[in-house]
Amino acid sequence: VATEPLLNALDVEYYGTISIGTPPQDFSVVFDTGSSDLWVPSVSCPSLACQTHQMFDPSQSSTYKSTGLSLSIHYGTGEMEGTVGSDTVTVASLVDTNQLFGLSTAEPGQFFVHVQFDGILGLGYPNLAADGITPVFDNLVNQSLLQENLFSVYLSREAAGSMVIFGGIDESYFTGPINWIPVSYQGYWQISMDRDYFCSTGVTGAGSPPLCSLQHSVNCSSIPAMPDVIFVIDGVQYPVSALAYTEQVSGGSCMSSFQDTSGDLWILGDVFIRVYYSIFDRANNRVGLAKA
Amino acid sequence: GVTRLPLERGKKLREVLREKDLLQQFFQQHHYDIGAKFPHAFPNGTG
C-alpha cells in the first residue's frame, strides 16, 4: 500500500478528457502538477462520489489487467482508496499502453461528490507516484511518443480554449521571451521565489497585508485602481494585475483570489498561469514562463 | 511528436457549494490548508 498526500483547494476547475481501456471509456481528469498518479472511479465503488461520476468497468475492457496491488491517496478533505490495474490510456492522440493506474473502490467524504471531474492525472515527478507506478508522462516519454521531454500549459479565462501541450511549446500562446527557472525540488515542480512585492510589504506598511493573506471581498469598482502584485523569480519580475487576481462571484460581488498557506509557500495556480504560459521541462528540470 | 489536449474551464467547487448553500457546512466539517500538500517544500528548512 502506497500513500500519496494530496489536497485540493476547492478551486479546481480546468479539466480534460482522456480514455482508458479497449473499447475506450472516457473520463474528465484534472491535470495536476502536484501529484504523479492517475486514478479514476471504478464500478466497484459504492460511494456517492463514484456513483455521480463516470466509473471504469474493467470487465468491459479487453486490454485491462489487474495487479493485485492496492492504492490509498489521502486528501485534506477526504481520501480515495482503490486497486491498481493496467490498461491502455489515451491522452489526446497519444496511446499509452500498459499504463498502471488507480481504480477507486471508495471515495469517502463530500469533496468528490460535487466536483465536475472524475479523476486526477498527475504530471509531477515520478518520486511522488505510488511505489512501482510509472507516471503517464514518463511512460509517454519512455515510449518515444513525444518530440521533447516537456509539456506546457495555456489557461484561458473562457470556458474553452485552454490547452495542455505534450511534447512541445506553442508560440501562438505567448509573446516575448521565455524565462527559464531551475526546479528547486524535483517532485512538485517547486521553484524558488525571490520575493513578492506588495504582498511582502503591503500597502500600509503595517502588519500583514490583508489582500494577499486571505480571500477578501473587494469593491468591484475599485479594481482598476488596485496595484499589481509582482512576483520576483530568479531575478525576473512577473506582475499580476488586479484584474487577474480578482474575480466576480455569484451575486455580483468581487473577491481577491489569494489564499492562505502554511509557511513561506506560494502555489502559483490558475491565477498565475492564466497570465504566464508555463512550460514544464523535464529534460532540463526547469520551468519556463512567458507572457500569455 | 507534439500533442494538444483541450481543457474545459468548469465552475469552481467553491461556487458550486456556495450555490447549494453547502459552503459554510463544508468548511465547518473540513479544515484544509492548501500548503499541507507540500511536505517536501523546504527540505533543508531554507524557505
Side-chain angles (χ1 to χ4, degrees):
Chain A
V1 177
T3 302
E4 156 65 11
L6 191 60
L7 195 135
N8 191 283
L10 292 187
D11 290 329
V12 282
E13 54 179 322
Y14 290 92
Y15 38 81
T17 302
I18 64 166
S19 60
I20 304 175
T22 311
Q25 301 176 39
D26 288 350
F27 299 92
S28 289
V29 294
V30 165
F31 292 87
D32 178 22
T33 51
S35 67
S36 301
D37 289 306
L38 165 65
W39 68 266
V40 295
S42 83
V43 290
S44 303
C45 175
S47 306
L48 181 61
C50 297
Q51 297 297 319
T52 52
H53 288 89
Q54 293 297 319
M55 295 176 286
F56 183 74
D57 186 350
S59 70
Q60 297 302 306
S61 174
S62 61
T63 43
Y64 177 80
K65 298 185 194 77
S66 63
T67 66
L69 299 172
S70 58
L71 177 77
S72 170
I73 304 180
H74 291 265
Y75 299 82
T77 48
E79 63 183 300
M80 67 78 70
E81 298 166 5
T83 57
V84 177
S86 163
D87 209 332
T88 300
V89 174
T90 304
V91 180
S93 60
L94 301 168
V95 180
D96 173 16
T97 53
N98 300 313
Q99 175 66 49
L100 292 172
F101 68 104
L103 297 82
S104 69
T105 52
E107 295 181 20
Q110 288 293 305
F111 183 80
F112 286 117
V113 173
H114 301 286
V115 297
Q116 292 177 277
F117 59 88
D118 304 309
I120 293 175
L121 191 158
L123 290 171
Y125 281 74
N127 61 321
L128 295 184
D131 286 348
I133 296 183
T134 302
V136 168
F137 183 80
D138 289 74
N139 268 337
L140 296 177
V141 172
N142 294 342
Q143 293 173 45
S144 301
L145 296 175
L146 303 181
Q147 188 170 304
E148 294 181 86
N149 186 3
L150 56 79
F151 62 93
S152 55
V153 178
Y154 169 76
L155 295 185
S156 166
R157 276 188 170 263
E158 310 303 322
S162 303
M163 201 72 74
V164 185
I165 301 162
F166 293 95
I169 298 166
D170 187 334
E171 295 188 353
S172 67
Y173 284 124
F174 65 91
T175 59
I178 299 169
N179 297 310
W180 293 102
I181 304 143
V183 172
S184 58
Y185 173 71
Q186 294 173 23
Y188 300 114
W189 290 101
Q190 177 183 292
I191 56 177
S192 296
M193 180 152 62
D194 300 350
R195 62 179 299 182
D196 56 282
Y197 287 104
F198 180 70
C199 289
S200 58
T201 57
V203 287
T204 63
S208 178
L211 193 60
C212 295
S213 59
L214 284 173
Q215 287 206 315
H216 271 269
S217 294
V218 297
N219 187 332
C220 296
S221 61
S222 67
I223 289 174
M226 286 165 59
D228 290 355
V229 169
I230 302 174
F231 299 94
V232 184
I233 304 169
D234 218 23
V236 178
Q237 294 195 356
Y238 297 90
V240 176
S241 71
L243 191 62
Y245 68 73
T246 57
E247 61 185 326
Q248 195 155 26
V249 295
S250 54
S253 61
C254 290
M255 292 185 76
S256 68
S257 302
F258 296 107
Q259 191 170 352
D260 236 358
T261 62
S262 58
D264 294 330
L265 176 71
W266 279 93
I267 297 169
L268 300 175
D270 58 331
V271 169
F272 189 85
I273 294 179
R274 275 194 290 268
V275 183
Y276 295 100
Y277 179 77
S278 301
I279 304 157
F280 299 84
D281 183 354
R282 280 286 300 279
N284 300 292
N285 295 311
R286 61 184 184 172
V287 171
L289 297 174
K291 187 80 180 66
Chain B
V2 179
T3 300
R4 297 151 201 277
L5 192 142
L7 299 177
E8 184 182 342
R9 185 179 185 182
K11 191 176 286 187
K12 292 186 176 191
L13 178 60
R14 187 183 299 274
E15 282 294 291
V16 172
L17 293 174
R18 187 181 283 126
E19 287 175 4
K20 294 179 179 176
D21 204 20
L22 293 172
L23 188 60
Q24 201 62 33
Q25 177 191 337
F26 187 88
F27 280 126
Q28 285 169 355
Q29 294 175 355
H30 303 278
H31 169 75
Y32 77 99
D33 171 359
I34 60 172
K37 180 181 172 183
F38 301 90
H40 305 292
F42 304 114
N44 301 319
T46 54

